[in-house]
Amino acid sequence: MGEFKDRVAIVTGSGRGIGKLTAQQLALEGAKIVVADVIEENAIKSAADINESGGNAIAIVADVSNEIDVMNMVEVTLSNYKTVDVLINNAGFTRDNLIENMSVQNWDSVLDTCLKGTFLCTKYVSPYMIEKKSGKIVNIASISYLGNMGQANYSSAKAGLVGFTKAMAKELARHSINVNAVAPGLTETEALKRLPKYEMIKERVLKSTPLRRLGKPEDVVNAIMFLASEKSSYVTGDVIHVSGGRFG
Ligand SMILES: NC(=O)c1ccc[n+]([C@@H]2O[C@H](COP(=O)([O-])OP(=O)(O)OC[C@H]3O[C@@H](n4cnc5c(N)ncnc54)[C@H](O)[C@@H]3O)[C@@H](O)[C@H]2O)c1
């Protein structure tokens, strides 16, 4: 059953959105899934959906910016599934504002989840990948890493994530661990569609998107699946932009 048969995959922020669809797709391809999310209800529902459709998933409540939570996430993963093969660092969010109005709290929270969270998950998962001399780490960045007005915090975090990806790729290559990133453009998740300003945002982004449509979660998941699979075994330290040709 599927390319990921018997692999164990941790997907952070997989209670909803791109992470949830990634977890479902990996499960469909045979992987055992750890749904890790800071929102308990969504984590439980997401894992239950996978199990109900014949997959194998457990839910773990974890704030990726919290070291103790991440250590616990890895411990529970190992006690349930014995190993870990794939780590998708997907948890992230925006708190936009112009610099003069950006609170320190909004700066810290975005950097803590998007960047420090990825550092912590990689730090505590990679020893088990090093031990077995194989592993796939996929970090979900954003084309905002190129710089976006009102997103000093998010652009910095995602640019940091690209640097982190490249550093980790070099550091972990000798253990046959691939580390890559996916940088989506604006992607039509359910949460995005519910935003009051959704239509306005969509119209603005479409004007600067050469392929003339917004991304779908499936578009992003396709790139993640490639980087998590053996098909990308000679690719490391790279960034796949899934943005319809829109850069910045
Ligand atoms: N949707 C887009 O347009 C878009 C574009 C570019 C990049 N991205 C990136 O893709 C990733 C997924 O985004 P999405 O659109 O699916 O968002 P989403 O808000 O639908 O899902 C994000 C999930 O992460 C969880 N999460 C947030 N903080 C967390 C934390 N500290 N610890 C654990 N879980 C946490 C949330 O509870 C949520 O379930 C993010 O990293 C985001 O920055 C999204």
Side-chain angles (χ1 to χ4, degrees):
M1 178 183 54
E3 154 141 39
F4 290 86
K5 184 172 172 349
D6 294 332
R7 304 253 182 91
V8 176
I10 298 177
V11 187
T12 69
S14 51
R16 72 176 199 191
I18 294 166
K20 181 172 184 176
L21 192 65
T22 303
Q24 288 174 332
Q25 193 58 39
L26 284 164
L28 216 59
E29 300 270 349
K32 295 171 188 160
I33 307 294
V34 174
V35 172
D37 205 287
V38 71
I39 302 177
E40 181 173 16
E41 194 190 337
N42 290 354
I44 290 171
K45 171 83 170 70
S46 177
D49 286 350
I50 290 173
N51 290 324
E52 275 161 29
S53 41
N56 186 342
I58 56 168
I60 301 177
V61 183
D63 174 348
V64 294
S65 68
N66 181 308
E67 188 176 12
I68 304 293
D69 280 12
V70 173
M71 289 166 79
N72 177 62
M73 176 186 84
V74 176
E75 205 179 298
V76 176
T77 300
L78 290 168
S79 65
N80 275 270
Y81 292 140
K82 311 281 180 270
T83 190
V84 53
D85 302 282
V86 175
L87 169 64
I88 314 290
N89 284 309
N90 166 77
F93 55 80
T94 52
R95 289 288 179 273
D96 299 354
N97 226 324
L98 296 175
I99 191 71
E100 62 270 29
N101 298 323
M102 185 172 286
S103 66
V104 171
Q105 204 272 331
N106 281 351
W107 172 270
D108 285 345
S109 65
V110 169
L111 270 286
D112 280 355
T113 290
C114 296
L115 191 53
K116 184 182 168 194
T118 297
F119 155 70
L120 287 173
C121 293
T122 306
K123 174 177 168 59
Y124 286 106
V125 166
S126 60
Y128 299 96
M129 293 179 167
I130 290 170
E131 200 176 277
K132 60 198 281 187
K133 288 210 154 293
S134 78
K136 300 277 186 179
I137 300 175
V138 184
N139 300 324
I140 313 307
S142 160
I143 58 163
S144 302
Y145 83 86
L146 294 159
N148 247 359
M149 185 162 163
Q151 292 197 316
N153 50 0
Y154 189 69
S155 294
S156 301
K158 296 298 191 179
L161 197 50
V162 170
F164 180 78
T165 301
K166 290 178 184 292
M168 283 300 99
K170 286 185 177 161
E171 196 172 315
L172 297 175
R174 65 188 191 280
H175 306 292
S176 303
I177 299 167
N178 302 65
V179 189
N180 290 288
V182 174
L186 195 67
T187 307
E188 278 184 309
T189 56
E190 290 309 313
L192 181 84
K193 286 189 207 166
R194 281 197 301 270
L195 288 179
K197 288 185 179 167
Y198 166 65
E199 286 302 332
M200 205 186 79
I201 298 168
K202 180 174 176 174
E203 202 177 314
R204 182 173 50 79
V205 170
L206 279 180
K207 281 188 190 137
S208 56
T209 304
L211 285 178
R212 290 284 177 260
R213 70 167 175 85
L214 292 197
K216 296 197 260 300
E218 297 88 304
D219 296 317
V220 181
V221 173
N222 285 338
I224 297 172
M225 293 300 287
F226 169 67
L227 293 174
S229 78
E230 288 313 312
K231 292 189 184 106
S232 58
S233 60
Y234 200 54
V235 180
T236 199
D238 230 322
V239 183
I240 299 184
H241 297 81
V242 184
S243 62
R246 182 168 171 259
F247 296 96

